[in-house]
Amino acid sequence: MPNRLSISECIKLLDNREIKVTELVNAYLREIENRDEEINAFITVTKDEALEKAEELDRKGKRISPLSGIPGGIKDNICTKNINTTCASKMLKDFVPKYSATVYERLLDNDFVMLGKLNMDEFAIGGGGEYSYFKPVKNPYNISHMAGGSSSGSAASVAAFECAFSLGTDTGGSILKPSSYCGVVGMKPTFGTVSRYGVVGFAPSLEQTGPITRTVLDNAIVLSKIAGHDEKDPCSIKRDLDFLQDIDKGLKGLKIAVPKELMDMDVIQRDVRKCYEKSFEIFKELGCQVDVVSMPSLQYSLSAYYAISSSESASTLARYDGIRYGHRTKEYSNIEELYEKTRGEGFGIDVKKRILFGTFLLVEKEKNYLDKARKARTILMNEYERLFKEYSIVLTPASPITAPAFGEKQSNALEKYYEDIFTTPINLCGIPALSMPVCKDSNGLPVGIILSARHYDEKTLYRFGHAFEAARGILK
Amino acid sequence: MINFALKHIYDIFLTTKVLEVIILDITNLEKLAKIRLTEEERKEIEKDLAYFTTMLEDPFKADTSNVQGTTIVSHTENVYRDDLVEDFEDLLFDGEIIVPRIVE
Amino acid sequence: MKYEAVIGLEVHVELKTNTKLFCGCRNEFGKKPNTLVCPVCAGMPGTLPRLNKEAVNLAIKAGIGLNCKINKFSRFDRKNYYYPDLPKGYQTTQYEMPLCTDGYIDIGGRKIGIERIHLEEDAGKLIHEEDKTFVDFNRSGVPLIEIVSRPDIRSGEEAALYLKKLRGILLFTGVSDCKMNEGSMRVDVNVSVRPKGLSFFGAKTEIKNINSFQYTQEAIGYEINRHIELYENGKTPENETRRYDEKSKKTYTMRAKEDSSLYMYLPDTELVPLDISEEEIDEIRKKMPLLPEEREKMYVKEHGLSDFDCENILQEVHFAEYFEEAAKLSKDAKNSANLLITQIFSLLESDKVIKIKPLRLAEVSNLMTDEVINSSTAKKLLEKLWEEDFDVENYVKENKLFQINEKDVLSRYIDEAMEENQKIVDDYRKGKKKALKALTGIVMAKTRGRANPRLLNTLLNEKLG
Ligand SMILES: [Zn+2]
């Protein structure tokens, strides 16, 4: 089954003409056909275009890039010219952009084969994958469990062998968490590394697009092709893009920091803790030093994250007003009614919640929570900076729990949001992080860890990830 | 299964003292955000937002004197474009954009 | 009781750039609706702004021209509100950290403070019909600066003076074309009235979108009187937004004033901050053109122009440039200025284009200075030059338009005129001094306007005795 191969294996076969692009693409399309009715990873499958492209590449024969002929899927908040880009929302269910996101254009320039648009939590808000207007994404390891969000389809499709790789977007763990729930490798790059242009976000100061793959090496290969300066994104930076240079160097003598505050939390599930601690052992065997350090400011991150992301979302999602495109309510007698009904009908409950919370923060002037949150953000950044002077990476679990089951009633909002305690500090500080599986819990669900590093140091994350992956062996 | 975590969240991440609960005027927020909620949605959101706001107190425990707030983790500034015309060739809208009559 | 008005002006000015503030769409007025739009200025999902360097430069120029401090650090914020002409649901503007602060305009001895100048984007336009409203986004994203004065203005006259000065500076720095009829300059006024000598602010009314400086002056005058009248009757004006009706010359309530604390502002994190160096500002400072005030000083000192001359010539940049070009070629620049203002300006059409080369004005003016032609010939020549260009000296030669400077030749014309118009001569001698003018006219007509006016006057006086 060629769709079980890693990208690096595919590259070899394609280079040696041992497999045709058409065969590879067909294998993936078959998997989608067989499996996606259950997983719900895709919103749109671009089958005809994929086959056409595959045939074209086979005819041409020449491979212009490692990604040439590699089939991938794109999260449905990444604009794809002339292909529906719904953000999994009723608001944009018929929206067809007349422009493309820079990341998508980069992939096209590399001759990748587009398989389609991936399901997600509406407007990338939410953490479970159940808040899609269309259908909930299910965990390929156990379909009664969630895939995690918001890049739920991106993680599930790769885990289910429906894509060789996918692109997700991450605002507060939206790549890292679903990757861990689905047992795949996800990268949230340094802020400014991958262009935000054409990516429909909700909190621009926190967002990055990144690859989800089945191996660490594959991930580095994809990131190399989507990263790079883009003049269409004012925050885009010119930086070193050789993510593979250190990948085989081994880990001897490198230092890993483990935050004491997180170690102490008994909110972490027993199996998660076991796997987490097992990862220390593996790293030690690889020659690393694992130190427990104190990061007291981590306690502010959830609060700061929700304040900042919600306020930005209230403003960023204001453009969905029913005037120029997207959903417009059927009946209205004046402009106010047009707005209120359109937005009331077009957005799902989680999006509304976030917008209203953000609106509260924007009008609340007395306590100035936002100002405090921004200051907490600075304190947190300083703390990371201090740590990274001594340590190569910070290691945490990906989530305190493994993928929750559908239908488990959560009695309040906090319960759902505490899942993000390990991921939100990463976005607040704009540092890169890699999520990868360690082992499975007693229910057979994957357990993951997150490795984070200083700004621009993705290559070190790949170095750690690659060595860890080899030492850990196949996930059983 | 998930309930076990809640108490600890309060212990670790929130102050243990009784928090003052901020009463949000949700109908006012609906007006400002131009979102009409159903009665059911309003109930759910009201409850969740109350939790959100208790969480907001966290950073007040931090010593933020002499700390500048961070709005963006950007290592760039002065990113400009030259004043050159780039016409968008495609038709952007299908037809005219019409809204109910607005009286100034 | 004596009252004192406290007036502040907020002036929005569209910048003279090729393209919009955050995208490459053309910054043009009067095009077919929604033809100058792209995904960015239409607020399409996922699009990002890209800041136009020229807009920043022009805003800095305005700041320098208005004696402001140009802030090293500034940033863009979002002002969130819903309106159909606002595609993103927020206006990208500078709220907390504006580009320029603390300037002033000198309005003839008194300095009117400028609190801030910030850079922002314009909204689209609504076109109202009977039962519906159309939205046009051509203007959406056009770069604006908002110039906020301190409440230092005390009367409608001062406001008009401030606006005139402001317009002059913005025109001469090339920041904006300041066309009120096209909306590239828009004026909002804040008026309150308080008992003289006290420092508190009275109830404030805002008058929005006034169409001319004249109307601004009138509206303020009306509003001040209205406030005083209310206070005198034991009432207080409402804090509200009003509009000025040009026909009735009155202001009317539009709506209650928005509570500005309800505006939701937020730093824009799609854009990065501005960090403008001293060198950059100096670079712009070096390239600043002469401002109207500096030009006025030069005109007075070097060419002996009057205040009236200066005010007329400094109305438009191209008038000033025209005059300066002609002055260089003129033996008597003051005479050229007179011809420009009295003759040429009367020929202007609504586009204000001068259809005569500055060189020709100088040629005509020089012939006058040399007493080769007189002023009525000059007038005719300029009217002719308006239609077609020609070499002035040759034309004067060919058409024998020389001024008659010879005493005997002119005497003959005068004698003829006096003979033919005995009644006028009698009138004059009876004491009707006006008759002299009539005779001058008759002699001028006989000479086809070529008589040396000074000589004619002397001779006539002699002969009439
Ligand atoms: Zn545009």
Side-chain angles (χ1 to χ4, degrees):
Chain A
M1 295 295 268
N3 61 318
R4 306 260 153 176
L5 299 170
S6 69
I7 293 176
S8 45
E9 286 165 332
C10 283
I11 291 172
K12 272 189 213 125
L13 293 178
L14 286 166
D15 277 345
N16 298 334
R17 314 233 168 174
E18 286 168 48
I19 190 174
K20 283 184 172 173
V21 177
T22 332
E23 286 172 62
L24 191 59
V25 169
N26 269 316
Y28 277 106
L29 287 172
R30 257 197 313 275
E31 195 75 63
I32 294 170
E33 227 158 86
N34 292 338
R35 222 162 155 211
D36 205 55
E37 223 164 292
E38 192 173 80
I39 305 289
N40 293 334
F42 278 85
I43 290 176
T44 306
V45 180
T46 51
K47 185 179 170 184
D48 296 343
E49 292 89 337
L51 286 171
E52 204 175 298
K53 179 78 189 175
E55 279 160 24
E56 180 203 312
L57 289 172
D58 280 335
R59 263 199 314 276
K60 198 163 77 174
K62 191 166 173 282
R63 301 189 72 242
I64 57 162
S65 149
L67 290 186
S68 168
I70 305 295
I74 308 288
K75 188 175 178 181
D76 211 18
N77 64 341
I78 297 174
C79 286
T80 45
K81 190 173 175 177
N82 300 330
I83 300 171
N84 261 48
T85 300
T86 69
C87 294
S89 178
K90 182 179 180 185
M91 193 61 100
L92 291 179
K93 74 177 167 45
D94 300 315
F95 180 69
V96 181
K98 295 186 173 171
Y99 50 95
S100 283
T102 302
V103 268
Y104 177 59
E105 278 179 352
R106 294 237 160 127
L107 287 177
L108 290 176
D109 291 345
N110 281 280
D111 272 350
F112 100 119
V113 179
M114 165 76 161
L115 291 177
K117 302 300 292 287
L118 297 164
N119 206 350
M120 55 188 276
D121 283 307
E122 182 182 358
F123 278 107
I125 290 173
E130 80 269 47
Y131 285 113
S132 162
Y133 169 68
F134 301 100
K135 52 200 177 181
V137 182
K138 306 203 179 135
N139 195 311
Y141 280 85
N142 182 341
I143 57 163
S144 60
H145 285 254
M146 298 179 191
S150 69
S151 306
S152 36
S154 304
S157 63
V158 172
F161 302 101
E162 296 176 10
C163 287
F165 75 92
S166 67
L167 295 188
T169 65
D170 195 308
T171 312
S174 282
I175 288 175
L176 302 176
K177 189 169 68 176
S179 294
S180 119
Y181 284 0
C182 294
V184 289
V185 179
M187 163 62 81
K188 199 290 290 180
T190 308
F191 185 77
T193 299
V194 179
S195 170
R196 297 174 303 175
Y197 185 80
V199 179
V200 186
F202 68 94
S205 83
L206 302 162
E207 273 149 7
Q208 271 292 287
T209 298
I212 296 176
T213 54
R214 288 189 290 271
T215 74
V216 173
L217 181 59
D218 287 1
N219 204 287
I221 292 171
V222 179
L223 183 62
S224 307
K225 295 302 165 191
I226 60 168
H229 181 254
D230 175 24
E231 58 174 26
K232 286 182 179 168
D233 179 355
C235 291
S236 174
I237 36 182
K238 291 177 178 137
R239 54 160 291 186
D240 169 32
L241 295 170
D242 188 354
F243 300 113
L244 288 150
Q245 59 186 338
D246 291 344
I247 201 156
D248 285 321
K249 281 190 179 162
L251 305 181
K252 206 144 260 149
L254 298 181
K255 290 170 82 176
I256 298 175
V258 170
K260 172 179 173 297
E261 286 74 8
L262 300 182
M263 285 284 289
D264 288 351
M265 290 177 58
D266 40 11
V267 296
I268 301 175
Q269 277 177 359
R270 206 164 41 90
D271 284 357
V272 171
R273 181 179 296 277
K274 247 169 52 189
C275 285
Y276 181 43
E277 282 165 1
K278 185 180 158 194
S279 75
F280 301 173
E281 297 315 311
I282 296 176
F283 279 121
K284 281 179 191 161
E285 275 167 33
L286 288 165
C288 297
Q289 180 183 328
V290 179
D291 289 351
V292 175
V293 301
S294 177
M295 287 190 74
S297 308
L298 279 177
Q299 62 180 313
Y300 312 130
S301 64
L302 256 192
S303 157
Y305 171 78
Y306 275 98
I308 289 165
S309 71
S310 303
S311 62
E312 290 192 18
S313 78
S315 167
T316 306
L317 299 179
R319 68 187 59 192
Y320 307 105
D321 56 7
I323 306 288
R324 289 144 294 131
Y325 53 82
H327 176 69
R328 186 192 279 203
T329 188
K330 283 219 172 63
E331 281 173 36
Y332 47 86
S333 53
N334 57 47
I335 188 75
E336 288 302 304
E337 202 178 9
L338 188 163
Y339 283 139
E340 289 173 9
K341 284 182 70 188
T342 295
R343 289 165 62 79
E345 295 161 5
F347 291 134
I349 183 87
D350 238 35
V351 174
K352 289 178 196 170
K353 206 178 288 175
R354 200 74 73 100
I355 293 175
L356 290 171
F357 185 50
T359 305
F360 161 72
L361 290 162
L362 292 178
V363 288
E364 200 288 325
K365 304 237 154 91
E366 207 172 297
K367 294 204 87 168
N368 213 343
Y369 293 112
L370 276 173
D371 180 59
K372 267 286 180 200
R374 289 180 193 125
K375 286 178 172 163
R377 193 174 181 180
T378 308
I379 294 175
L380 192 61
M381 282 174 69
N382 294 340
E383 203 158 276
Y384 269 110
E385 202 171 304
R386 219 176 44 239
L387 266 188
F388 286 132
K389 285 208 174 102
E390 195 178 340
Y391 295 93
S392 298
I393 63 161
V394 171
L395 178 64
T396 71
S399 163
I401 57 170
T402 51
F406 287 101
E408 270 178 17
K409 201 67 196 146
Q410 295 154 345
S411 64
N412 70 57
L414 261 191
E415 284 180 14
K416 200 164 55 187
Y417 300 109
Y418 79 88
E419 282 182 60
D420 300 331
I421 41 183
F422 304 124
T423 52
T424 47
I426 290 163
N427 298 77
L428 285 171
C429 299
I431 55 175
L434 185 73
S435 165
M436 61 185 302
V438 181
C439 52
K440 290 185 197 169
D441 73 358
S442 46
N443 297 319
L445 290 164
V447 181
I449 46 169
I450 290 176
L451 293 56
S452 55
R454 61 181 73 86
H455 287 128
Y456 313 122
D457 204 12
E458 287 84 353
K459 62 176 188 294
T460 296
L461 294 176
Y462 286 132
R463 178 181 180 181
F464 273 86
H466 189 62
F468 183 85
E469 191 176 64
R472 179 208 65 199
I474 305 287
L475 200 59
K476 279 194 278 280
Chain B
M1 181 185 91
I2 290 182
N3 242 337
F4 75 97
L6 188 63
K7 188 185 166 297
H8 302 286
I9 289 292
Y10 277 111
D11 289 349
I12 296 161
F13 286 94
L14 305 175
T15 49
T16 41
K17 70 177 165 72
V18 179
L19 297 163
E20 61 180 293
V21 177
I22 305 149
I23 308 293
L24 297 181
D25 179 358
I26 192 117
T27 43
N28 184 39
L29 294 179
E30 281 181 60
K31 279 272 167 244
L32 289 169
K34 308 270 186 237
I35 292 178
R36 190 176 291 181
L37 298 177
T38 63
E39 207 39 62
E40 204 179 309
E41 286 175 324
R42 194 169 299 137
K43 267 193 204 123
E44 182 183 337
I45 290 179
E46 215 154 16
K47 197 180 66 190
D48 279 5
L49 292 198
Y51 283 112
F52 269 141
T53 46
T54 55
M55 192 162 73
L56 285 175
E57 299 290 329
D58 280 358
F60 284 89
K61 292 180 292 180
D63 177 14
T64 54
S65 45
N66 301 320
V67 177
Q68 285 266 335
T70 298
T71 52
I72 189 159
V73 191
S74 165
H75 296 156
T76 52
E77 59 216 2
N78 301 334
V79 178
Y80 297 120
R81 169 179 69 81
D82 286 333
D83 188 20
L84 301 172
V85 172
E86 296 161 38
D87 290 317
F88 187 72
E89 305 292 348
D90 238 330
L91 205 64
L92 204 55
F93 307 117
D94 324 316
E96 288 164 321
I97 300 164
I98 301 171
V99 296
R101 169 143 169 78
I102 289 167
V103 193
E104 255 293 279
Chain C
M1 202 190 307
K2 283 255 184 202
Y3 291 91
E4 176 179 59
V6 180
I7 300 154
L9 297 185
E10 287 167 19
V11 181
H12 283 93
V13 167
E14 285 182 356
L15 301 178
K16 229 164 76 183
T17 53
N18 298 323
T19 66
K20 295 185 178 180
L21 186 54
F22 296 121
C23 64
C25 290
R26 287 164 206 274
N27 171 9
E28 275 175 31
F29 178 80
K31 289 282 174 300
K32 188 169 168 262
N34 294 319
T35 52
L36 307 178
V37 280
C38 74
V40 176
C41 58
M44 290 287 185
T47 57
L48 295 173
R50 289 168 64 206
L51 180 59
N52 184 344
K53 171 92 183 152
E54 180 64 8
V56 177
N57 285 349
L58 290 178
I60 294 173
K61 263 190 188 171
I64 295 172
L66 297 170
N67 310 298
C68 287
K69 175 170 174 278
I70 314 297
N71 293 315
K72 181 168 165 56
F73 290 103
S74 64
R75 193 185 66 201
F76 286 96
D77 300 288
R78 298 170 171 189
K79 180 181 181 180
N80 297 277
Y81 66 93
Y82 289 84
Y83 212 60
D85 64 7
L86 192 69
K88 293 179 292 187
Y90 58 83
Q91 179 194 30
T92 308
T93 178
Q94 296 186 305
Y95 177 59
E96 269 182 47
M97 302 164 85
L99 187 56
C100 317
T101 44
D102 290 325
Y104 65 86
I105 293 180
D106 196 324
I107 55 162
R110 220 164 84 68
K111 279 182 184 170
I112 305 298
I114 288 171
E115 190 182 307
R116 57 189 282 151
I117 303 175
H118 59 255
L119 191 53
E120 62 187 19
E121 59 181 345
D122 211 340
K125 231 183 236 169
L126 300 181
I127 304 149
H128 304 289
E129 268 184 20
E130 227 162 89
D131 57 340
K132 57 189 168 211
T133 293
F134 292 88
V135 198
D136 171 16
F137 292 104
N138 283 353
R139 201 179 67 180
S140 158
V142 162
L144 287 178
I145 49 172
E146 181 176 344
I147 302 140
V148 183
S149 86
R150 293 196 185 280
D152 294 346
I153 299 167
R154 293 288 168 264
S155 67
E157 290 73 20
E158 276 192 0
L161 212 54
Y162 168 90
L163 288 171
K164 234 192 226 169
K165 287 266 176 185
L166 174 63
R167 178 176 172 275
I169 292 164
L170 297 175
L171 278 181
F172 279 80
T173 45
V175 168
S176 174
D177 57 20
C178 295
K179 289 182 185 162
M180 292 192 92
N181 58 339
E182 292 183 5
S184 70
M185 185 174 194
R186 311 198 280 270
V187 180
D188 298 338
V189 183
N190 284 305
V191 183
S192 70
V193 166
R194 66 185 174 199
K196 204 173 166 88
L198 296 183
S199 61
F200 74 89
F201 290 90
K204 197 156 86 176
T205 53
E206 184 178 21
I207 315 165
K208 281 237 178 238
N209 277 329
I210 313 175
N211 279 336
S212 75
F213 297 168
Q214 176 64 30
Y215 294 148
T216 307
Q217 183 172 339
E218 290 171 11
I220 291 173
Y222 176 84
E223 201 54 21
I224 292 173
N225 288 333
R226 194 179 68 86
H227 282 214
I228 292 175
E229 211 165 291
L230 283 167
Y231 285 125
E232 292 283 301
N233 290 313
K235 294 180 194 148
T236 319
E238 298 286 331
N239 283 312
E240 62 180 359
T241 302
R242 298 175 75 86
R243 67 179 173 81
Y244 181 64
D245 181 69
E246 293 131 22
K247 283 204 198 93
S248 63
K249 302 203 177 297
K250 287 179 180 169
T251 65
Y252 295 94
T253 299
M254 257 169 87
R255 55 172 183 262
K257 196 161 165 48
E258 299 105 348
D259 181 0
S260 64
S261 70
L262 268 185
Y263 274 125
M264 299 184 281
Y265 287 97
L266 178 77
D268 194 317
T269 51
E270 288 176 349
L271 289 154
V272 293
L274 294 179
D275 178 358
I276 294 162
S277 69
E278 210 42 63
E279 292 79 60
E280 258 176 287
I281 299 167
D282 282 344
E283 204 53 44
I284 296 173
R285 205 184 290 275
K286 263 187 248 157
K287 287 190 208 137
M288 286 287 282
L290 282 182
L291 295 179
E293 231 170 60
E294 298 162 307
R295 288 188 135 109
E296 183 171 345
K297 274 185 200 141
M298 181 179 89
Y299 294 172
V300 172
K301 193 167 161 257
E302 291 178 18
H303 306 307
L305 264 52
S306 68
D307 288 355
F308 173 83
D309 297 337
C310 292
E311 191 179 326
N312 274 288
I313 290 170
L314 291 168
Q315 272 183 79
E316 301 288 341
V317 181
H318 72 279
F319 289 176
E321 284 167 350
Y322 186 93
F323 166 71
E324 286 162 27
E325 174 84 35
K328 258 188 266 167
L329 305 166
S330 300
K331 293 177 179 170
D332 179 0
K334 164 71 180 154
N335 188 50
S336 298
N338 290 347
L339 288 174
L340 176 64
I341 295 164
T342 56
Q343 307 302 339
I344 295 182
F345 283 177
S346 67
L347 299 170
L348 288 175
E349 286 155 35
S350 61
D351 62 6
K352 296 190 179 172
V353 173
I354 303 177
K355 293 191 204 157
I356 302 173
K357 291 178 182 167
L359 167 69
R360 301 302 181 213
L361 167 61
E363 286 176 354
V364 172
S365 171
N366 289 346
L367 289 176
M368 258 179 96
T369 310
D370 294 343
E371 299 202 321
V372 177
I373 59 168
N374 64 13
S375 64
S376 79
T377 305
K379 179 170 186 268
K380 276 183 215 146
L381 282 170
L382 291 170
E383 278 164 3
K384 193 93 189 151
L385 281 162
W386 193 264
E387 304 304 325
E388 55 177 336
D389 184 55
F390 50 80
D391 182 290
V392 178
E393 226 177 301
N394 278 342
Y395 186 87
V396 168
K397 258 184 217 154
E398 277 164 23
N399 294 280
K400 302 200 170 58
L401 296 175
F402 304 115
Q403 178 169 276
I404 301 171
N405 291 327
E406 297 80 7
K407 204 172 164 181
D408 52 332
V409 179
L410 199 54
S411 277
R412 254 182 278 133
Y413 281 110
I414 296 173
D415 292 343
E416 220 178 279
M418 284 172 68
E419 264 173 48
E420 286 165 16
N421 297 281
Q422 199 54 54
K423 184 165 181 317
I424 301 177
V425 177
D426 291 344
D427 281 351
Y428 180 82
R429 288 186 173 136
K430 276 179 208 151
K432 256 191 169 175
K433 295 290 170 205
K434 257 163 101 187
L436 183 66
K437 237 184 156 182
L439 276 173
T440 309
I442 292 162
V443 177
M444 271 295 180
K446 279 185 177 295
T447 60
R448 290 186 295 121
R450 292 178 302 126
N452 177 331
R454 242 178 332 107
L455 187 60
L456 174 58
N457 195 41
T458 321
L459 290 175
L460 256 180
N461 271 317
E462 268 173 26
K463 287 182 193 283
L464 289 168

